[in-house]
Amino acid sequence: MSPLLDKIRVLDLTNVLAGPFCCYQMALLGADVIKVEVPGTGDLARQLGADHELNKALMGVSFLAQNAGKRSVTVNLKDNAGKAVFRRLVESADVLVENFRPGVMDRLGLGWTTLKEFKPSLVYCAISGFGQTGPLHANPAYDQIVQGLAGVMSVTGDETTAPLRVGYPVADTMGGITAAFAIAAALVRRARTGEGEFIDVSMLESTLVAMGWQVSNYLVAHVQPRPIGNENMTASPSGTFATGSGPLNIAANKQEQFVALCQMIGRPELATDPLYADREDRKKRRFELKAEIEKALARKTAKEWSVLLNAEGIPAGEVLSIPQVLEHPHIKERKLVTRFPGAPGVEREVPVVRSGFKLESGDPDPRTPPPALGADTDAILDELGYTADERAKLHADGAI
């Protein structure tokens, strides 16, 4: 069967993470994603990552992570001939995604109000830190800035370590996945009506939406969320526990799970102890209860307890490092990682992660490795009808 986004063309004008992550999700589903980049430098992510040599080659590991399955064309959007090339690209496209500061595309004469005049069916998605309106809309935004403003850092860590940044770019990622969802919804309506759409994605709001429980506790219950480390605010025993070897996450959130846990660790009396028998009492005395449970857990390793507890329907899991989880048999069987033998300018294997879901009709998978900067410029311009002489002039004039 054809991929879900087969024959959908996406212009990816984005940089670094939120936008490239959004467009990568569409590339995984079969869209023709054309990365429109600045000549000479391209996406800043091409220069980011832990491998200095790849950064110098403009194929940084940060770029490799989110750009497989895309094609790259370089266009100078400040040049009139380059703008003409871009407009022709827009005419051929279904979706445009950009994550410039609000107003940049309008100043270039390439914003939504201009493009929709000749491409009314275009789905235009603008991703920014704070949205297109509001007091903060013109501020520059990176993930850590948004994490701080969104309250994420205020509830991460514990009373001694908060405010603490989440260990990966969660605000960028939430902005990207929110954008991908909104674009998919707009494409569904467009298939029915032919109507385009302007989508204004705010990383700040996307992140706040993802914090629904904490936000609701404040809005509805008038309880200010606070950092409680690895504990679960809704239940006890639920959090990270020390074992005989290694930390173990246990989420005995239901009464029957708590009773089963007490049986499994050889402490059945805890389930009937008046101090812990009631859910709310357990939450009030969570650290006393945790200490009792950890005494029993010291008899076995985290891996051993994980197997035993899950077999009894008690949610539990080891706390793994990224290398450990990538080598886990479950991840390997699910084939989350796709491996390319190399990429342009990268003379080594290039592993990339796929999407977090599978499909009966064919799992999302990038078809090609991440592209070199401008690698597809001539081929794409040829598709748009430019002759070899016209392309040569555009190159010579610095338009592409």
Side-chain angles (χ1 to χ4, degrees), residues 150-152 154-155 174 205-226 228 231-236 238 251-254 257 279 283 286:
V152 172
S154 76
V155 296
M174 286 309 306
E205 291 158 38
S206 298
T207 304
L208 273 165
V209 168
M211 296 171 65
W213 281 15
Q214 287 86 347
V215 169
S216 185
N217 269 337
Y218 176 70
L219 290 177
V220 180
H222 308 296
V223 173
Q224 182 167 331
R226 60 186 182 87
I228 57 173
E231 294 296 307
N232 180 349
M233 65 182 180
T234 67
S236 175
S238 188
N253 295 348
K254 299 179 181 179
Q257 291 169 341
R279 181 185 186 88
K283 287 164 61 178
R286 65 169 64 245

Side-chain angles (χ1 to χ4, degrees), residues 7 14 25 32 37 46 118 140 167 172 185 189 203 248 255 261 295 316 324 350 358 375 377 384 386 389 391 395 398:
K7 301 192 186 326
T14 67
Q25 305 313 301
D32 176 19
E37 302 188 73
R46 288 183 177 276
F118 67 88
D172 268 315
R189 187 186 69 181
M203 286 167 53
L248 178 71
Q255 181 66 24
L261 173 64
K295 290 177 188 175
Q324 287 173 324
V350 178
K358 298 174 82 66
T377 299
L384 296 176
Y386 285 90
D389 288 343
R391 295 196 302 274
H395 279 291

Side-chain angles (χ1 to χ4, degrees), residues 30-231:
D32 176 19
V33 179
I34 298 176
K35 195 162 182 66
V36 182
E37 302 188 73
V38 177
T41 55
D43 186 341
L44 175 61
R46 288 183 177 276
Q47 302 173 53
L48 304 178
D51 189 306
H52 181 61
E53 292 303 313
L54 289 179
N55 294 344
K56 288 198 300 183
L58 298 182
M59 293 296 282
V61 293
S62 296
F63 176 81
L64 298 178
Q66 310 295 344
N67 290 284
K70 303 179 185 181
R71 299 193 285 168
S72 173
V73 58
T74 53
V75 182
N76 183 354
L77 297 181
K78 295 180 180 179
D79 178 271
N80 286 334
K83 289 179 182 180
V85 170
F86 180 71
R87 290 190 184 97
R88 201 181 293 192
L89 272 170
V90 171
E91 288 175 351
S92 76
D94 303 285
V95 178
L96 183 154
V97 186
E98 51 101 341
N99 63 349
F100 299 116
R101 281 202 221 178
V104 168
M105 289 292 282
D106 288 326
R107 289 195 293 274
L108 290 169
L110 301 171
W112 164 246
T113 54
T114 300
L115 299 183
K116 72 176 181 179
E117 291 300 316
F118 67 88
K119 184 71 176 185
S121 63
L122 181 68
V123 175
Y124 185 118
C125 180
I127 306 170
S128 62
F130 311 106
Q132 302 296 302
T133 59
L136 299 179
H137 83 280
N139 284 13
Y142 282 102
D143 179 86
Q144 185 155 348
I145 306 302
V146 177
Q147 282 197 37
L149 285 169
V152 172
M153 292 173 65
S154 76
V155 296
T156 304
D158 56 28
E159 298 287 357
T160 64
T161 59
L164 194 65
R165 176 183 170 273
V166 174
Y168 77 101
V170 62
D172 268 315
T173 304
M174 286 309 306
I177 205 71
T178 298
F181 170 72
I183 291 167
L187 286 172
V188 170
R189 187 186 69 181
R190 198 192 72 153
R192 294 197 312 267
T193 68
E195 297 175 77
E197 184 62 86
F198 178 79
I199 301 167
D200 172 7
V201 174
S202 157
M203 286 167 53
L204 176 62
E205 291 158 38
S206 298
T207 304
L208 273 165
V209 168
M211 296 171 65
W213 281 15
Q214 287 86 347
V215 169
S216 185
N217 269 337
Y218 176 70
L219 290 177
V220 180
H222 308 296
V223 173
Q224 182 167 331
R226 60 186 182 87
I228 57 173
N230 292 328
E231 294 296 307

